Amino acid sequence: AGHQPMSNGDESVWIVFNGEIYNYRELRDRVSGYDFNSETDTEVLLHLYEEYGIECLSMLRGMYAFAIWETKQEQWSLARDRLGQKPLFYHHNDRAFRFGSTIRTLLSDPEVEARPDADAIRSFLTYQYVPAPNTGFQGINRVRPGEYLVVNEDGIQRNSYWNLSYSNQFDARPGRLAERLHEKLHEATRLRMRSDVPLGVFLSGGLDSTIVTGLMAEQAETPINTYSIGFDEYDELEFARAVADKYSTNHHEHIVTPDAMEVLPEIVEHYEMPFGDPSAVPTYYVSEVASEDITVAVGGDAGDENFAGYDRYTYDRFTEIATKLPKPVRDLSRRGFNSVPNVIPGATAASRGARLLENVENDTIRQYANYVCHMVGNDAQEVWEGSEPDDEIAYIRAALANSDGPTRLDRVLDVDINTYLPDDLLVKIDRASMAHSIEARSPFLDHEVVEFAARIPAKYKWRRGNKKWILKRAFEDYIPETVQERSKQGFSVPVDAWFRGELRELAREKLEKLGARPLFENSQLKERFIDHINGNADYGHHLWDLVVLEMWYERFID
């Protein structure tokens, strides 16, 4: 009954749709005079569009990409969800307009040639992902998050239907804000538990997935399924086990030994765009293991961006404070940090302090960019022989300029929600999960939760060095003490060691091939590789980006 393309009764409107509308049951009551032929959210969306037109986007809670064809108007309307969870690509020339959920869909047309986009590849070196709307392919673009396109004989009209605002801050007491936050996440979780296929939780043992597990456990009629994975280099199983015990879940643990040599070609194949985040490897394995039992996995994606969970927010806060210090004091402090011998415990922290004080000399935008970018300045120029951009951090600069956040923390959170989240994290989880036919959901990505979080004053998110303070207060009874006290830890991928070990020969081969390409000829790829394997520098993450890029060229361009 949900077969697509789906049409209305007189076949004047047609839809193709990818994703989930979580509140489709409630929205079904918003349309009248239609005979429904299915229980699908696709049909509800189709009739919503018939009745309300493109304004129906304001009613949707979910993750989606869809295209609607109106026969009489000879017009397409394409839209993507607010946060950018589901992909939507298109190619347009004077002969045709093509679109799809994958780039390979477009490349399957002989008229669409796979040609590298030099500017996008240079941006990839800076960010480890390709900033939207680019893809790395000339002529192939993405619909941005929160955007819809109208395509007709007049061409393409791009329109934004959602923008996040931080301007209207709550003035309620933190206790009341915590209560309301609890209610918002409870409802968002309830909606994401709607499923007619097996459902479980990606339980990492971190704060966000712990909260999701607790919210699901209290609403489920039977014990929920939780899935945790351990690696030789990364193991949070003890924390995940504490959460599973607390909520008596049907817990599954798996230990895997990631084989980067084996999985890298598959990752390049599924991600399609140049994508350099090495945590794609464990994410890919997690999805593969869970796919043996479940079809829908709920997780905690976007908890850090909403509530200031990353260490870089702390570094940036200290940078902001240090900026206000007199320059002679900063110089003296930096010299003191740099004089700490390597053999003294805490020297790593001291070197971070020195780098922080050096960063103070930059402008505000460059300061934050230095915490989130991969290759900037000389790092990129030494491996790139193509033309240099006028401003290599223009993507972050534009996002920061567009933010209406009243504080610096508000603005950098806004930047991450508009750049790093949709272009890196959500690409990572969507491609890894869909490669194994798993649908990934997160209550923290509900747009009403995101909007509510944006209105919580920054002082309740980062409070005296305590990250996610308001979130912890809202769910203090949900979180085992061991999870409360642990530090932030993402998927740890030992790329430095890999390139001195199992990936050494692969890197040598791929870098040699990349160095023969026009944009990389006469660069210092070989020197960077030698410095790394000899232990003179740690270029593991840079080498990962470059190896993945060469494999992308081989798979899609050559």
Side-chain angles (χ1 to χ4, degrees), residues 334 338 353-362:
R334 183 165 59 248
N338 288 334
R355 289 197 298 271
L356 184 150
L357 289 170
E358 291 170 359
N359 198 25
V360 168
E361 306 302 326
N362 296 306

Side-chain angles (χ1 to χ4, degrees), residues 186-450:
H186 185 279
E187 180 193 25
T189 303
R190 176 183 62 81
L191 290 174
R192 281 154 184 78
M193 291 177 68
R194 289 178 171 173
S195 176
D196 55 3
V197 295
L199 179 147
V201 181
F202 279 164
L203 177 57
S204 70
L207 181 68
D208 305 324
S209 65
T210 295
I211 291 171
V212 169
T213 300
L215 287 169
M216 291 180 65
E218 69 182 11
Q219 299 181 64
E221 297 179 356
T222 58
I224 63 172
N225 295 310
T226 52
Y227 296 84
S228 301
I229 197 162
F231 302 93
D232 291 342
E233 306 88 358
Y234 166 85
D235 191 346
E236 290 187 315
L237 290 180
E238 63 173 300
F239 303 106
R241 198 173 298 129
V243 177
D245 290 344
K246 178 178 176 65
Y247 294 105
S248 301
T249 71
N250 182 21
H251 190 53
H252 306 261
E253 291 183 354
H254 300 268
I255 302 290
V256 299
T257 303
D259 185 344
M261 293 279 287
E262 175 184 304
V263 79
L264 253 179
E266 296 178 24
I267 287 175
V268 171
E269 173 78 18
H270 286 288
Y271 280 69
E272 299 185 314
M273 298 179 290
F275 188 78
D277 189 338
S279 63
V281 173
T283 305
Y284 193 83
Y285 276 104
V286 167
S287 301
E288 181 179 54
V289 168
S291 67
E292 299 175 4
D293 303 314
I294 62 174
T295 307
V296 173
V298 186
D301 297 298
D304 292 309
E305 289 79 9
N306 282 322
F307 299 102
Y310 295 128
D311 288 340
R312 63 173 172 263
Y313 302 136
T314 298
Y315 300 153
D316 192 67
R317 174 57 176 156
F318 289 158
T319 302
E320 182 181 18
I321 294 171
T323 302
K324 300 174 183 178
L325 295 174
K327 190 175 187 303
V329 175
R330 297 200 304 267
D331 292 341
L332 182 62
S333 300
R334 183 165 59 248
R335 287 196 295 272
F337 280 130
N338 288 334
S339 68
V340 177
N342 290 333
V343 296
I344 294 179
T348 299
S351 63
R352 282 201 300 267
R355 289 197 298 271
L356 184 150
L357 289 170
E358 291 170 359
N359 198 25
V360 168
E361 306 302 326
N362 296 306
D363 62 62
T364 301
I365 299 173
R366 174 67 70 173
Q367 286 171 357
Y368 189 66
N370 284 341
Y371 293 130
V372 296
C373 292
H374 249 216
M375 291 191 229
V376 291
N378 289 335
D379 278 336
Q381 293 169 11
E382 288 177 358
V383 302
W384 177 256
E385 290 297 304
S387 60
E388 285 292 334
D390 294 333
D391 181 4
E392 63 182 340
I393 60 169
Y395 192 50
I396 289 179
R397 193 180 300 279
L400 199 57
N402 290 333
S403 176
D404 64 358
T407 72
R408 177 161 166 159
L409 178 57
D410 287 317
R411 292 190 291 274
V412 297
L413 291 174
D414 198 6
V415 167
D416 279 355
I417 286 176
N418 282 285
T419 59
Y420 177 68
L421 180 66
D423 290 344
D424 187 313
L425 295 187
L426 297 185
V427 169
K428 178 178 68 177
I429 186 62
D430 178 74
R431 305 309 191 274
S433 59
M434 293 307 295
H436 298 97
S437 300
I438 285 183
E439 181 182 298
R441 305 175 178 179
S442 174
F444 289 97
L445 286 164
D446 186 286
H447 78 276
E448 293 194 8
V449 171
V450 175

Side-chain angles (χ1 to χ4, degrees), residues 200 240 357 516 548 556:
L357 289 170
V548 167
F556 291 101

